[in-house]
Amino acid sequence: MLQISRLRHDQVDAAFPLMQSALPRLTLDEWRRYAATLDGKVADASAPRGIMVAAAPNGILRAAFTYAVERRGKDGQTLIVLNLVASHVALPVLGQELAIDSLAEGMRSLAQAHDCTSIIVMLPPEAAQEIDYFKSHGCEVAVSAAAGTLTPI
């Protein structure tokens, strides 16, 4: 099982190859600037955001996602998940279902910690298996071609 936690400052450079595997044009400087904007220190504490990572038992980062908590009308708070990246190594070694189960459990825990009543996962159209998985596990899925880029939140 993968261990899900918030990206620490000392892990930013270690997460770069993972993010670059999904975004080949991403530079280390761009990634560092992006990660710095999501360090959790936002002016509006009612709208938390950040980067979560999934580490294998040996500490190697195998997956990551960014998130923001937003108020959606009368429905309460919603966890918005963007930039979901899983290492090509994580899926075969751990099994796709186990890797995605770990990520989904991390999302549910994060949503619960922020009193969110729903989770929306942004995925690219070609992620058919992941789209089906998250839908079948109670998440709303927003399919967007922009989900394949490092989306600011």
Side-chain angles (χ1 to χ4, degrees), residues 4 23 75 81 89 101 149:
I4 310 293
L23 306 162
D75 296 333
V81 174
V89 174
D101 281 348
T149 62

Side-chain angles (χ1 to χ4, degrees), residues 11-44:
Q11 293 175 309
V12 170
D13 285 2
F16 174 68
L18 174 67
M19 299 306 291
Q20 194 182 44
S21 71
L23 306 162
R25 293 184 178 170
L26 182 67
T27 68
L28 180 57
D29 286 339
E30 289 169 335
W31 167 241
R32 286 175 175 161
R33 281 192 303 274
Y34 183 82
T37 67
L38 296 175
D39 66 1
K41 297 173 187 157
V42 293
D44 182 1

Side-chain angles (χ1 to χ4, degrees), residues 1-6 52-54 65 67 79 81 84 98-114 119 121 133-134 139:
M1 195 80 163
L2 297 172
Q3 186 71 18
I4 310 293
S5 63
R6 186 175 187 88
M52 301 298 287
V53 292
F65 63 87
Y67 73 91
L79 179 70
V81 174
L84 178 61
L98 179 60
I100 294 176
D101 281 348
S102 296
L103 292 170
E105 180 56 36
M107 290 173 197
R108 284 190 291 273
S109 294
L110 190 58
Q112 185 177 20
H114 292 289
I119 301 171
V121 182
Y133 176 89
F134 285 111
C139 297

Side-chain angles (χ1 to χ4, degrees), residues 40-49 67-72 76-79 113-116:
K41 297 173 187 157
V42 293
D44 182 1
S46 67
R49 59 192 181 146
Y67 73 91
V69 175
E70 296 180 0
R71 179 155 290 291
R72 296 272 171 139
Q77 298 201 121
T78 298
L79 179 70
H114 292 289
D115 296 320
C116 295

Side-chain angles (χ1 to χ4, degrees), residues 111-129:
Q112 185 177 20
H114 292 289
D115 296 320
C116 295
T117 56
S118 61
I119 301 171
I120 298 175
V121 182
M122 302 285 291
L123 292 169
E126 61 272 12
Q129 188 172 358

